[in-house]
Amino acid sequence: MHKILSFLFVLTGITGLAQSSAGLALIPLPKEVIRKEGIFTIDPNTQIRVADGAQVLQPVADYLAAYLYRAAGLELQVSGEGSKTNEIEFSLDAAISGAEAYRLEVGPERIRIRAKAGAGAFYAVQTLLQLLQGEREGDTPRPIEVPAVQITDAPRFEYRGMHLDVARHFFPVSFIKRYIDLLAMHKFNRFHWHLTEDQGWRIEIKKYPRLQEVAAWRKETLIGHYSDQPHQFDGKRYGGYYTQDEVREVVRYAAERFITVVPEIELPGHSLAALSAYPELACTAGPFEAATKWGIFEDVFCPKEETFTFLENVLTEVIELFPSEYIHIGGDECPKTRWESCAHCQALIKKEGLKDEHELQSYFIRRIERFINSKGRQIIGWDEILEGGLAPNATVMSWRGIKGGIAAAKEGHKVIMTPTSHCYLDYYQSDAEGEPLAIGGFLPLEKVYNYEPIPDELTAEEARFILGAQGNVWTEYMPTEAQVEYMAFPRALAIAELTWTPREQKNYADFTARLVRHFDRLDAKNLNYSRALFQVKAETRPAAPGSAAVVFSSLDPKAEIRYTTDGSAPGPGSPLYTAPVSLSAPTLLKSAAFQGASRKSSVLSLQFEPHLVTGKPVVLADPPSPNYSLGGPQALVNGFIGSDTRYGDSEWLGWAGKDMEALIDLGARVPVSQVQTRFFNGPGQWIYLPRAMEVAVSNDGKKFKPAGKFTNFPEQSRDKTFAAAVSFKKNTKVRYLRVTVRRHGIIAPGKQGAGHEAWLFVDEVRVK
Ligand code: ACM
Ligand code: ZN
């Protein structure tokens, strides 16, 4: 018995080592890593040898040589012959399955890289570079040690993407190359370049010079957040564009790194900048100007022949510049208001026998698809292209959740997953104080990491249509390169791993252990990544009635967590956290991680306001969306108040298309005078205030009596949150409370998210 157990233990131990990171800081985690004895030393005499397949392998070998020269001053000879010891050997192996797969063997005598194609060899090199110990760009020549290892690797998904919006803010070619280098380092193979928007047109089109002269520029830019009122502007002309030479340079640079650049030309919506240059392409006469603030604009391309001619000419130049199989044509967020009152649009609807403006959008997309297909390319569109019927060959980028992706896959269309809930890297990544202004939301690293691109709703057959996933970086609130880096990293690395690593091998704790060491590599590149990982984490637990306990933790084993309960910022002299902090009175609890006298994280604040039902049992008729239920049902009554700006934290619960009904058991009949709660208001994220909050009371939990109702919700509000209360008659004694919140329902035309169910977000239900 004992023998069998220990035998099993040994087996599991070996498998565990083989399948996990084996103590190496590799991101994304390869399929199989086996650590071996010894090291290989790259020194000035090491030779890089391309044994065969020089045509495809030579450029990769040269890339490695160039890196080693830059990073360690080592000028290695690259040749077809050699001594077969002290060498890095590249060879083709037709037996390896898949162009992106590879084998990398590091032994004391040599390093061997085997692949079927250049891509696999390139990924082997990226893995090798992550094995190098302690090189720094610009160092003087010196040997580099590589631990002995045997790695067999291949990606899980064929589409592994990162996006960048260069329209809301513009970034020079030097930064685009840096971004591409960072993607290549983590084995991404697609760069989705979002080139056109309401706020600016960023690609030179020779046939239409006014796109450069006019559409590439906006008069000024919004200061602060869109929801800050009144709007203020900086008064500075802003813009820029990439010349076709620059575009070719970027495409070539990316191709050398096995990254395909997928250009996006937005149509029919998000096209205001183009209309500012060519107003005749709109439904109304104009004049138009490029948008100076964010959002959705009603002036869009009018589906007239002139517009199709323009777009086909634009796309002809785009297709010549970009070898990508896929051309992204946008298709998202196109208001139909202008089309509804445009004589041409209405006549076209009649003539084509279309049902409505959604079908007119599909007509628009289908015509563009036909054109792009005629050039041997395929379209990708945001999931709105499903609405009036999909174009026959379209690939869908599912962003408004995963429903669009599921529907498209079930129709046999290819899908790329980019749901806002897990892939929008413009959302906040930390709930700490002092985060730079972001669009909203809350998407911590762990939530990105745990995203699974294949929805449970799909059969194995349908799941094959999910090509992969992508992180999106919209730059409304990222005016600088440093800020793009901050928002994109390290969350992009979670996207890298979830698209590359086999699902069974993903493990967040292992990922973060590797990441903490990988940060040294990112430091060597002076990358401005977020340190939110080192943030103190707080978990709240119910304690005695009316009180709570807070458990703090940090991923950093060296961190000392210190906290205060008087609202002051924690310092090196503040109490050291050693055991759960008990709270029973209103408290502003602040915490941060320290190492000696220096603070290593930003400050985390938790506001505790106990009330009559704090910690009492609560049952929800419908669970919140799994994407917005971090704190579980108890979050409604745990005494902790949600963030004023971030609805996705563990205190807010979110529902889509459902009312909230919460049943709270007070344990005994007690006098109650008021029920109060707070709702989030974020039209940009389709979060709208509810219609009504109803409170009913009961003594047996079965028969309920209405006790009051609040319906005075504003139709529009500039505030991010709205508090509503229901007050009771004096001396109402209650055992059970039922709080029902009637959702907003379908969003009205003309509003953000029109036609869709609004989200409902509810904070603490406070009872007095
Ligand atoms: C999008 O975020 N409008 C695709
Ligand atoms: Zn029109």
Side-chain angles (χ1 to χ4, degrees):
M1 185 71 191
H2 262 108
K3 259 209 166 102
I4 292 170
L5 269 182
S6 59
F7 175 67
L8 277 177
F9 176 77
V10 170
L11 259 188
T12 331
I14 290 170
T15 324
L17 186 68
Q19 290 193 344
S20 85
S21 46
L24 303 167
L26 300 174
I27 293 178
L29 181 66
K31 203 168 178 171
E32 187 188 270
V33 181
I34 299 169
R35 200 59 190 267
K36 302 276 185 169
E37 285 292 313
I39 52 161
F40 179 85
T41 304
I42 306 176
D43 63 33
N45 296 320
T46 304
Q47 210 183 87
I48 298 177
R49 188 164 67 90
V50 181
D52 57 17
Q55 184 131 9
V56 288
L57 297 179
Q58 187 72 40
V60 180
D62 290 342
Y63 171 96
L64 174 63
Y67 181 92
L68 290 171
Y69 179 66
R70 263 201 330 274
L74 293 166
E75 258 185 291
L76 305 192
Q77 200 195 334
V78 184
S79 75
E81 289 129 50
S83 59
K84 314 220 169 177
T85 57
N86 194 10
E87 66 169 12
I88 303 172
E89 182 219 66
F90 287 82
S91 60
L92 285 180
D93 185 345
I96 287 179
S97 65
E100 295 186 309
Y102 67 90
R103 258 172 90 84
L104 168 65
E105 285 172 39
V106 180
E109 302 275 299
R110 69 179 65 77
I111 294 176
R112 275 206 175 117
I113 289 171
R114 305 242 154 111
K116 187 180 198 159
F122 184 77
Y123 296 135
V125 165
Q126 292 307 323
T127 300
L128 174 61
L129 299 185
Q130 291 192 9
L131 291 171
L132 305 183
Q133 308 289 306
E135 86 288 1
R136 278 280 203 269
E137 294 212 7
D139 263 7
T140 46
R142 75 199 151 72
I144 302 178
E145 297 189 340
V146 191
V149 73
Q150 182 186 309
I151 293 177
T152 310
D153 201 7
R156 179 175 173 206
F157 288 105
E158 69 174 81
Y159 187 111
R160 305 179 304 278
M162 279 291 291
H163 149 286
L164 184 65
D165 165 12
V166 295
R168 272 56 175 266
H169 284 100
F170 179 69
F171 303 95
V173 168
S174 57
F175 182 73
I176 301 301
K177 287 182 171 174
R178 176 169 164 87
Y179 195 75
I180 287 169
D181 277 330
L182 288 159
L183 301 193
M185 180 182 180
H186 301 101
K187 304 187 175 77
F188 284 98
N189 62 2
R190 296 297 199 296
F191 169 49
H192 172 173
W193 206 1
H194 185 79
L195 287 164
T196 73
E197 260 305 335
D198 298 302
Q199 294 83 4
W201 182 283
R202 305 274 175 247
I203 174 169
E204 179 187 25
I205 300 295
K206 303 272 191 201
K207 197 165 188 113
Y208 296 107
R210 284 177 60 81
L211 290 173
Q212 288 72 256
E213 292 155 14
V214 179
W217 304 93
R218 62 178 178 252
K219 192 172 66 189
E220 56 188 359
T221 304
L222 182 74
I223 298 174
H225 198 275
Y226 184 86
S227 59
D228 298 339
Q229 301 277 346
H231 283 157
Q232 287 184 31
F233 296 87
D234 64 4
K236 290 187 203 131
R237 182 172 139 92
Y238 183 94
Y241 64 92
Y242 306 101
T243 65
Q244 294 202 348
D245 281 344
E246 287 175 322
V247 168
R248 272 188 283 268
E249 188 183 339
V250 166
V251 167
R252 179 190 51 77
Y253 191 85
E256 285 168 6
R257 286 151 184 78
F258 295 88
I259 290 175
T260 302
V261 184
V262 179
E264 181 179 357
I265 304 296
E266 276 268 22
L267 57 91
H270 286 296
S271 49
L272 191 51
L275 299 182
S276 73
Y278 297 98
E280 62 275 20
L281 308 179
C283 290
T284 58
F288 306 105
E289 52 178 38
T292 57
K293 57 187 176 190
W294 324 122
I296 295 174
F297 298 86
E298 298 198 326
D299 290 297
V300 302
F301 286 126
C302 178
K304 24 184 163 181
E305 288 311 309
E306 204 178 346
T307 305
F308 287 111
T309 302
F310 168 85
L311 289 170
E312 288 177 6
N313 287 335
V314 166
L315 288 166
T316 298
E317 293 192 28
V318 167
I319 285 168
E320 273 165 20
L321 288 167
F322 294 91
S324 171
E325 176 191 2
Y326 295 108
I327 305 292
H328 202 308
I329 51 76
D332 60 321
E333 300 182 319
C334 178
K336 309 296 187 291
T337 26
R338 293 292 181 263
W339 292 358
E340 281 161 10
S341 50
C342 166
H344 170 80
C345 288
Q346 292 306 313
L348 186 58
I349 286 178
K350 271 223 182 75
K351 177 171 160 242
E352 295 292 331
L354 305 172
K355 200 170 84 209
D356 57 13
E357 288 74 18
H358 290 295
E359 290 200 355
L360 183 56
Q361 157 135 347
S362 288
Y363 166 87
F364 201 126
I365 304 286
R366 284 198 180 107
R367 272 194 66 163
I368 296 295
E369 179 182 71
R370 231 180 297 134
F371 178 76
I372 288 178
N373 286 171
S374 78
K375 301 270 180 184
R377 310 295 182 89
Q378 300 294 325
I379 66 162
I380 300 177
W382 299 108
D383 59 50
E384 283 92 334
I385 67 168
L386 280 151
E387 282 168 6
L390 268 182
N393 308 312
T395 295
V396 171
M397 204 168 250
S398 188
W399 73 280
R400 299 172 304 173
I402 60 172
K403 280 206 198 99
I406 293 169
K410 283 188 182 294
E411 288 184 37
H413 283 256
K414 292 178 184 169
V415 172
I416 297 147
M417 286 297 195
T418 65
T420 56
S421 56
H422 293 80
C423 296
Y424 268 45
L425 308 188
D426 55 340
Y427 284 16
Y428 284 104
Q429 57 196 311
S430 158
D431 48 9
E433 288 175 10
E435 277 293 293
L437 183 71
I439 194 162
F442 181 56
L443 181 53
L445 181 68
E446 184 168 7
K447 187 169 176 181
V448 180
Y449 187 83
N450 287 325
Y451 178 56
E452 166 48 41
I454 306 280
D456 291 340
E457 289 85 343
L458 298 183
T459 64
E461 189 60 30
E462 292 161 349
R464 295 224 303 266
F465 290 103
I466 309 290
L467 300 185
Q470 175 175 287
N472 288 348
V473 182
W474 302 101
T475 58
E476 286 95 331
Y477 299 96
M478 300 176 211
T480 64
E481 297 173 8
Q483 196 145 355
V484 170
E485 293 181 2
Y486 182 87
M487 297 304 281
F489 294 91
R491 289 183 292 186
L493 309 192
I495 304 269
E497 187 145 314
L498 75 91
T499 51
W500 181 280
T501 304
R503 183 180 187 176
E504 322 74 69
Q505 276 161 248
K506 276 176 62 197
N507 176 306
Y508 184 66
D510 183 65
F511 172 69
T512 52
R514 280 176 279 128
L515 181 54
V516 166
R517 294 166 58 201
H518 189 65
F519 279 156
D520 288 344
R521 300 201 154 272
L522 303 184
D523 284 334
K525 297 184 184 309
N526 286 318
L527 188 74
N528 184 40
Y529 58 88
S530 160
R531 268 84 171 161
L533 188 62
F534 298 116
Q535 194 58 50
V536 173
K537 265 180 86 166
E539 211 183 307
T540 61
R541 303 210 172 134
S547 62
V550 179
V551 177
F552 288 123
S553 60
S554 167
L555 265 180
D556 181 359
K558 293 195 293 285
E560 300 148 13
I561 297 170
R562 297 184 182 274
Y563 66 96
T564 62
T565 52
D566 60 1
S568 65
S574 302
L576 182 68
Y577 172 81
T578 53
V581 180
S582 295
L583 303 172
S584 53
T587 307
L588 181 55
L589 178 63
K590 295 196 173 191
S591 58
F594 287 82
Q595 224 175 298
S598 93
R599 179 152 69 78
K600 290 292 182 193
S601 76
S602 34
V603 175
L604 178 73
S605 295
L606 289 175
Q607 196 182 343
F608 182 63
E609 287 178 16
H611 48 86
L612 201 56
V613 303
T614 300
K616 301 283 187 196
V618 56
V619 177
L620 295 171
D622 272 310
S625 155
N627 294 338
Y628 297 104
S629 58
L630 268 182
Q634 280 317 116
L636 286 182
V637 295
N638 65 359
F640 291 91
I641 309 302
S643 155
D644 289 339
T645 52
R646 272 153 257 184
Y647 56 82
D649 69 8
S650 52
E651 299 306 327
W652 290 97
L653 299 183
W655 287 262
K658 294 217 177 82
D659 295 341
M660 182 198 89
E661 187 185 299
L663 177 64
I664 302 167
D665 181 356
L666 282 73
R669 292 188 66 210
V670 290
V672 169
S673 63
Q674 193 191 56
V675 174
Q676 194 238 54
T677 188
R678 221 159 54 126
F679 301 98
F680 206 88
N681 175 48
Q685 285 87 38
W686 310 357
I687 304 168
Y688 285 83
L689 295 177
R691 301 285 178 200
M693 174 168 88
E694 297 160 11
V695 180
V697 300
S698 168
N699 289 323
D700 60 5
K702 294 188 186 89
K703 285 211 329 255
F704 282 85
K705 208 171 66 185
K709 188 170 174 165
F710 181 95
T711 54
N712 200 16
F713 290 97
E715 195 54 42
Q716 276 188 11
S717 166
R718 288 165 171 185
D719 298 325
K720 284 217 173 72
T721 64
F722 182 86
V726 170
S727 295
F728 291 46
K729 286 199 280 276
K730 263 213 171 69
N731 296 323
T732 309
K733 279 192 163 179
V734 175
R735 163 74 196 263
Y736 296 94
L737 275 171
R738 192 177 67 201
V739 183
T740 307
V741 179
R742 305 281 175 206
R743 67 186 185 276
H744 181 90
I746 304 289
I747 302 167
K751 292 186 166 181
Q752 303 209 66
H756 295 268
E757 277 281 359
W759 280 89
L760 165 68
F761 273 84
V762 185
D763 191 9
E764 185 80 2
V765 176
R766 291 153 75 182
V767 181
K768 287 203 290 210

